């Protein structure tokens, strides 16, 4: 920006009048609330051989066959871990491999029954702590929009991070009204996590100062192209002539 342009900007600001190059807005006109929009996790569960095999890639499952000890003690703990891994895989294999569950609590109940039965078969109880249980559910699940929404221990809907979205709501608008008008009709199961609200400001110069310029007529464009072609032919003639 040149010194002359800076002086013009300062003068326009001092006059505090609207013109083609100056417009007046309340500060809230440029502000917005960035709202987090959540949607529930929906999954189906299946103890098929393919999904059971995916459990081997889960960190919590892999950690069963590791040890922080040294020497013979470490080797023994790792060997026990590997035996536990195989026992878990065998237990999961006892669940019907073709029955798909679209309700997580129902599948968890089947899972718990399978491990309860396994305690009567193996030498010692199978240790299924929270991380391992989470790993098993992760391996045996897939996203399914037709499945029932998952809820947490308190009965609240569990959000799906991969479906999380954001809305920039003008500060001049009521957020709840905006949500019902712009979001709810498209994703009826969505909700807002207002604890993550953030406020930002943005000045969109194009929106406020853009002037529409009609496109050139096709006849004018064709004429320019024809003149350019003639000029190219002429230049080629001079080079080859």
């Amino acid at each position: 920006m040149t010194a002359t342009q800076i002086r013009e900007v300062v003068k326009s600001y001092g006059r505090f009048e609207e013109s083609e190059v100056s417009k007046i807005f309340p500060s809230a006109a440029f502000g917005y609330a960035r709202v987090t929009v959540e949607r529930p996790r929906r999954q189906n569960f299946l103890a098929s051989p393919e999904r059971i095999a995916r459990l081997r890639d889960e960190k919590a499952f892999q950690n069963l066959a590791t040890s922080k000890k040294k020497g013979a003690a470490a080797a023994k703990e790792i060997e026990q871990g590997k035996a536990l891994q195989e026992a878990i895989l065998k237990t999961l294999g006892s669940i019907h491999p073709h029955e798909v569950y679209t309700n997580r609590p129902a599948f968890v109940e089947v899972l718990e029954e399978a491990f309860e039965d396994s305690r009567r078969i193996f030498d010692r109880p199978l240790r299924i702590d929270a991380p391992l249980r989470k790993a098993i559910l992760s391996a045996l699940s897939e996203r399914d929009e037709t499945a029932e929404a998952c809820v947490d221990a308190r009965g609240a809907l569990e959000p799906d991070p991969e479906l999380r979205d954001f809305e920039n709501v003008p500060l001049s608008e009521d957020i709840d009204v905006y949500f019902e008008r712009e979001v709810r009709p498209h994703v009826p199961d969505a909700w807002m996590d207002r604890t993550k609200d953030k406020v930002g400001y943005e000045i969109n110069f194009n929106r406020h100062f853009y002037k529409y310029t009609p496109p050139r007529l096709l006849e004018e464009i064709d004429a320019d192209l024809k003149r350019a072609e003639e000029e190219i032919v002429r230049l080629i003639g001079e080079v080859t002539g």
Side-chain angles (χ1 to χ4, degrees):
M1 182 178 288
T2 66
T4 300
Q5 290 172 327
I6 292 175
R7 284 194 293 270
E8 287 300 319
V9 170
V10 174
K11 288 180 181 178
S12 295
Y13 181 81
R15 286 192 293 266
F16 200 69
E17 297 175 351
E18 290 208 6
S19 66
E20 289 189 359
V21 296
S22 176
K23 294 190 177 184
I24 301 172
F25 298 93
S27 59
F30 302 112
Y32 60 87
R34 186 172 176 82
V35 181
T36 301
V37 178
E38 302 282 14
R39 293 184 62 194
R41 187 191 302 276
R42 296 179 186 274
Q43 298 172 312
N44 67 45
F45 300 85
L46 175 67
S48 65
E50 294 77 17
R51 295 194 190 184
I52 293 175
R54 296 195 309 220
L55 182 58
R56 295 183 181 276
D57 297 325
E58 295 286 341
K59 191 67 176 177
F61 183 79
Q62 295 173 351
N63 287 341
L64 293 176
T66 61
S67 176
K68 293 183 179 180
K69 298 178 182 179
K70 296 181 179 180
K76 181 180 180 180
E77 191 170 53
I78 291 173
E79 189 63 30
Q80 290 176 340
K82 289 181 178 178
L84 178 57
Q85 286 178 330
E86 292 307 312
I88 291 171
L89 294 174
K90 187 173 181 179
T91 299
L92 294 177
S94 68
I95 300 174
H96 196 297
H98 302 298
E99 186 168 354
V100 179
Y101 295 83
T102 57
N103 176 282
R104 188 168 67 182
F107 180 73
V108 169
E109 186 176 336
V110 170
L111 198 62
E112 290 176 348
E113 289 177 357
F115 279 102
E116 184 63 33
D117 290 341
S118 72
R119 291 187 176 93
R120 304 190 188 98
I121 301 173
F122 299 105
D123 296 336
R124 57 193 176 92
L126 299 183
R127 189 180 76 256
I128 308 299
D129 56 16
L132 184 55
R133 177 185 170 186
K134 183 178 180 180
I136 292 173
L137 291 175
S138 174
L140 302 186
S141 66
E142 288 185 357
R143 179 176 284 104
D144 184 348
E145 288 297 319
T146 66
E148 295 183 32
C150 297
V151 297
D152 60 22
R154 298 170 299 170
L157 287 173
E158 186 176 308
D160 187 335
E162 294 189 27
L163 297 179
R164 183 171 295 139
D165 202 357
F166 304 92
E167 289 286 332
N168 290 341
V169 184
L171 293 181
S172 57
E173 286 201 45
D174 182 282
I175 292 177
D176 292 321
V177 172
Y178 176 95
F179 181 80
E180 292 298 328
R181 184 184 72 241
E182 301 292 340
V183 180
R184 183 79 73 186
H186 306 288
V187 279
D189 60 355
W191 74 93
M192 296 182 289
D193 184 349
R194 299 298 306 279
T195 64
K196 299 177 181 177
D197 282 10
K198 293 182 179 180
V199 175
Y201 286 83
E202 178 186 31
I203 300 177
N204 191 325
F205 289 96
N206 284 336
R207 180 188 302 167
H208 302 300
F209 292 98
Y210 173 75
K211 290 184 178 180
Y212 174 74
T213 302
R216 297 172 61 197
L217 297 174
L218 289 176
E219 292 80 0
E220 294 180 2
I221 298 174
D222 287 340
D224 285 347
L225 290 174
K226 186 175 181 180
R227 282 193 293 271
E229 290 175 356
E230 292 173 349
E231 181 65 14
I232 291 172
V233 172
R234 184 185 67 79
L235 291 174
I236 293 175
E238 291 179 358
V239 172
T240 59

